[in-house]
Amino acid sequence: MAGVLVIGAGVGALASELLDGAIKEAKKVLGFKTLSRELASAMQEVVPIVIQIESSGDAEALKTLRVTIDKALVLVADCKGVKRWDAISKSIYTRRVEKINKEILKFCQIQLQLIQLRNQVQPCKLPEDITNCIQAISKRLDLMNVPAPVFRNLCSVLQLDEVPVGFDWPLTKLKKELLNDSVNTLLVSAAPGCGKTTLATQLCHDPDVKGKFKHIFFNVVSRPPNIKAIVQNLLQHNGYAPHIFDNDSQAAVGLQDLIKELIVDGDVLLVLDDVWQGAEFSLRRYFQQIRLPGCKILVTSRFNLPSFDFTYHLEPLEYEDAKSLLVQWSSPPNYHTSPHEYEELFQKILKRCNGYPIVIEVVGVSLKEQPLYAWKGQVESWSQGRTILDNPHPTVLDCLEPSFSALQPHLKECFLDMGSFLEDQKIRASVIIDIWLELYGKGSSTGNVYMKYLNDLASQNLLKLIPLGRNEHEDGFYNELLVTQHDLLRELAIHLSSKEKLKEKLESKRLNLEIQGDSFPDWCLNLREPINVRFLSISTDVSFTSKWVEMGLDCPNVEALVLNLSSSDYALPDFIATMKKLKVLIIINHGHGPAKLTNLSCLSSLPSLKRIRFEKVSITWLDILLHLQLGSLNKLSLVMCSFGKLASDTKEIDVSKSLSSLQEIDLDYCYDLVELPYWISEALSLKTLSITNCNKLSILPDATGNLSKLEVLRLCSCISLSELPETTERLSNLRFLDIYNCLGLRKLPLEIGKLQKLKKISMTKCSKCELPGSVKKLEDLKVICDEEAGFLWVRLKPKMKNLSVVVEETEHNLNLLQMHF
């Protein structure tokens, strides 16, 4: 704007007057004196000649020069805004001064001499002045030339040696968003080794993308990101001399100036590859601020970084694409292999590779031109416990391990714990949170912080979270959230855990023991020293017969024990009784039907046991009552369990004393649960009672009203439940009632209004449930329901104090089908 005002003031003035004004303005520029002096000096050389021409009455002949002077005035006005330290802007404006000096030189070389010949103005003197002027300006131009940098490919797009396999759909999706005018910043996020860099490179070589963007720059970002180095590389790549910046802010100014200059010629695509977590602030501050039309930024990262216009989550390759890639990197074992045998080998190899391109490449190269026995040997080595990470070429480990190294210390521990679960297992989030609460909780009673840890690991693509239905974990209920992890990342966790061991298998934070049949690893037989671990995982297969007698396992410091079983009958090992520090016990059956669980007596002498979870086992209520008389027990979870008929309980047991610390009972998907045993109503310390997805449960006992400390009563998806006992009105501490999807529920207790601490009711899909008049007495109540029930509650709003009604849409979640029942 300043330049426009200066030019406007000179309309009608002589060229010599404009020239004099431009010289004075140039000398006022303080930002970089050398540049302003060059511009002023070049124009000063022309002044005497211009005055002579004007004195001859031929001012019209100087029209071209006037245009050049106008450009100089605009340039001078722009130069005033450039700071002394701004090396990049100086470089850019040097080129613009060079351009104006060349125009002045051209005017002196051609037009001035034509004017002199035409008008014969002082023929003896003028040619000498013109010659001196030309020489002076030419000399300055020579001094101003910026030397070409040594490297001009610092930000070039990588070359593709092979056409990538399996990226057709990701490329199509990503390209569509890149060419979308409303999208300026894009993120490609994936686990390490999935091919983020390959996809970004292929995108840059795409004809449509190359047709759209005149300038495409590819930068691998260091950890932590070096903003100054990135900008320096971009400048050198574009022909500017190397610059040293005092700070990132200076580099950002230079970057913006460079982009502004480049987009004059065409659109710009800037690719920042392999950006690590923690770089978001720098990216947002220095790169995402470049919201210039014609400039887009694409970032690849193994983390889910926020604040991008579009994020594409790149998944591992599907089977057919993975197979094509393996064929590309390897070759069939030999011509004598039958198609069936060949396909079987491929399936086993690809299952182990998990669709990771980097792994497929490493395995494929190792098998290239190898005989059949080498292929079979590779597969057999995996069945004997070896992993991809044992490959003599550490490419895969080099790719994966930095993701672990970048984690904060507490997340490193949590990631290593994930190796304690079985391959391909879908784990309830509640299982993991129960373990972490006891291993790292330091007395904390809430799982929210550990739910955050799961989210943190998921955001870094080290595991995945799959919701089964509602976002019930917001209320501290985590059964409706599955956690999965790729086998390769599980192998990484096991591999890194093994590096911790100080004395072979005898001292470590965690230990995974896998037993095939009744054959135990040699190292654990006839042990003479105790094994010092905090987290022990023991996995047995379908042929295991619970013969623990050969094994003298002594683990006195174990705090978390996970038993993964697959057989129909399973006797708990006696050595559990020696684990006096055991805090959490998880027993998960992976077989087809409930496994009959015996020898529970070994649990009755564990003074520190706080959390027990049985999953898909057959156990009687009497066994639980007789053998789990633990004054320390805080939570009991029974998931997909079978109890048989409810036998007469032993009423001689004082449950309020034998289970004096029990605060939570969780019954989930227990299909043969018809009624509750009496002793649950005698656990007077209970604060949370969750009975979910138990289809045969039709009624709660009247004694439920005895649970005076109960704060949460969760009965969701108990579709046969017809009513709640009237004694519910005695639950004076109840704050949350969850009757979601209780399709058969017809009414709430008549005096539910007495529950003055009740602040939340979830009753979506309970449209047939009648509301008694006493609900009007409830204050500050939040009701979550569907549209039909919402209509009933909304009508009560004028009569209730601070009633909040949230109407939610009914969702059908197919993730339920992914569970292994």
Side-chain angles (χ1 to χ4, degrees), residues 417-620:
D417 288 341
M418 296 302 297
S420 299
F421 299 96
L422 289 186
E423 205 174 273
D424 298 323
Q425 185 177 355
K426 294 180 176 65
I427 316 157
R428 301 288 189 104
S430 52
V431 173
I432 301 170
I433 290 173
D434 279 347
I435 293 172
W436 289 350
L437 272 167
E438 299 305 331
L439 287 182
Y440 314 119
K442 298 180 181 179
S444 172
S445 60
T446 175
N448 292 335
V449 65
Y450 301 104
M451 187 64 239
K452 180 182 180 300
Y453 290 176
L454 283 173
N455 278 311
D456 289 342
L457 290 172
S459 71
Q460 301 182 41
N461 291 299
L462 294 175
L463 53 81
K464 287 187 178 182
L465 300 178
I466 304 174
L468 291 178
R470 299 178 297 161
N471 293 325
E472 293 178 284
H473 56 274
E474 295 177 0
D475 296 312
F477 185 65
Y478 307 105
N479 273 358
E480 295 297 309
L481 191 67
L482 296 181
V483 181
T484 65
Q485 187 177 48
H486 275 288
D487 295 344
L488 186 61
L489 294 172
R490 175 180 177 269
E491 289 182 9
L492 176 66
I494 295 173
H495 174 84
L496 295 173
S497 292
S498 67
K499 294 171 66 175
E500 292 183 326
K501 295 177 174 52
L502 304 178
K503 298 177 181 178
E504 295 180 351
K505 301 283 184 179
L506 302 183
E507 189 166 351
S508 174
K509 290 183 179 180
R510 53 191 63 79
L511 173 63
N512 300 324
L513 175 59
E514 296 188 9
I515 301 171
Q516 296 181 351
D518 289 327
S519 299
F520 294 82
D522 293 338
W523 65 265
C524 66
L525 297 176
N526 302 316
L527 285 172
R528 297 181 180 180
E529 296 182 58
I531 299 177
N532 185 22
V533 295
R534 290 186 68 193
F535 188 179
L536 175 61
S537 172
I538 302 177
S539 301
T540 55
D541 60 14
V542 66
S543 59
F544 179 65
T545 61
S546 300
K547 293 182 179 179
W548 302 97
V549 290
E550 301 178 21
M551 184 177 173
L553 197 63
D554 184 10
C555 304
N557 295 318
V558 168
E559 297 178 33
L561 173 62
V562 174
L563 299 176
N564 291 297
L565 55 115
S566 299
S567 50
S568 57
D569 293 280
Y570 190 89
L572 296 181
D574 289 331
F575 58 73
I576 292 181
T578 67
M579 299 178 180
K580 301 303 181 182
K581 295 183 180 181
L582 186 64
K583 296 179 180 179
V584 54
L585 171 64
I586 309 292
I587 300 178
I588 303 176
N589 171 29
H590 301 276
H592 294 295
K596 185 178 180 181
L597 198 63
T598 58
N599 197 30
L600 272 75
S601 58
C602 66
L603 305 179
S604 58
S605 60
L606 300 176
S608 302
L609 191 56
K610 295 182 179 180
R611 296 171 186 269
I612 297 177
R613 182 183 182 92
F614 296 147
E615 193 164 316
K616 204 191 289 189
V617 301
S618 177
I619 188 172
T620 68

Side-chain angles (χ1 to χ4, degrees), residues 44-58:
Q44 189 72 52
E45 296 290 342
V46 186
V47 172
I49 305 170
V50 171
I51 293 175
Q52 292 181 49
I53 295 174
E54 288 177 339
S55 65
S56 69
D58 194 11

Side-chain angles (χ1 to χ4, degrees), residues 74-135:
V74 173
L75 177 59
V76 168
D78 290 344
C79 287
K80 290 180 179 179
V82 179
K83 306 300 182 183
R84 292 185 177 89
W85 46 261
D86 193 347
I88 301 304
S89 293
K90 289 181 182 180
S91 179
I92 292 172
Y93 283 110
T94 297
R95 289 175 176 249
R96 292 176 62 181
V97 169
E98 177 184 4
K99 184 177 180 180
I100 288 180
N101 282 349
K102 285 181 178 180
E103 291 183 14
I104 295 175
L105 176 62
K106 181 179 179 181
F107 178 81
C108 294
Q109 288 175 326
I110 301 174
Q111 291 185 271
L112 275 183
Q113 296 191 55
L114 290 175
I115 294 170
Q116 185 266 337
L117 291 174
R118 186 182 67 201
N119 297 340
Q120 295 298 309
V121 179
Q122 295 188 10
C124 296
K125 186 177 182 181
L126 187 55
E128 182 180 352
D129 289 342
I130 294 176
T131 301
N132 293 338
C133 177
I134 291 171
Q135 291 176 348

Side-chain angles (χ1 to χ4, degrees), residues 206-266:
D206 183 85
D208 294 334
V209 174
K210 293 172 73 174
K212 165 71 173 175
F213 295 95
K214 174 73 172 179
H215 308 281
I216 300 178
F217 307 119
F218 198 102
N219 293 266
V220 178
V221 180
S222 60
R223 179 165 58 102
N226 189 331
I227 306 299
K228 294 181 287 186
I230 293 173
V231 178
Q232 287 168 352
N233 288 343
L234 283 167
L235 287 166
Q236 284 189 263
H237 180 87
N238 286 282
Y240 291 98
H243 292 280
I244 297 182
F245 303 101
D246 293 335
N247 52 55
D248 289 344
S249 295
Q250 290 182 9
V253 172
L255 176 63
Q256 291 180 9
D257 288 338
L258 175 63
I259 298 299
K260 287 179 181 178
E261 180 177 329
L262 292 174
I263 59 178
V264 174
D265 296 329

Side-chain angles (χ1 to χ4, degrees), residues 751-769:
E751 297 300 326
I752 194 173
K754 292 182 179 180
L755 304 179
Q756 289 301 300
K757 291 187 178 181
L758 184 62
K759 299 304 176 186
K760 184 176 180 180
I761 299 178
S762 175
M763 56 180 300
T764 302
K765 298 183 181 180
C766 292
S767 58
K768 296 180 180 179
C769 184

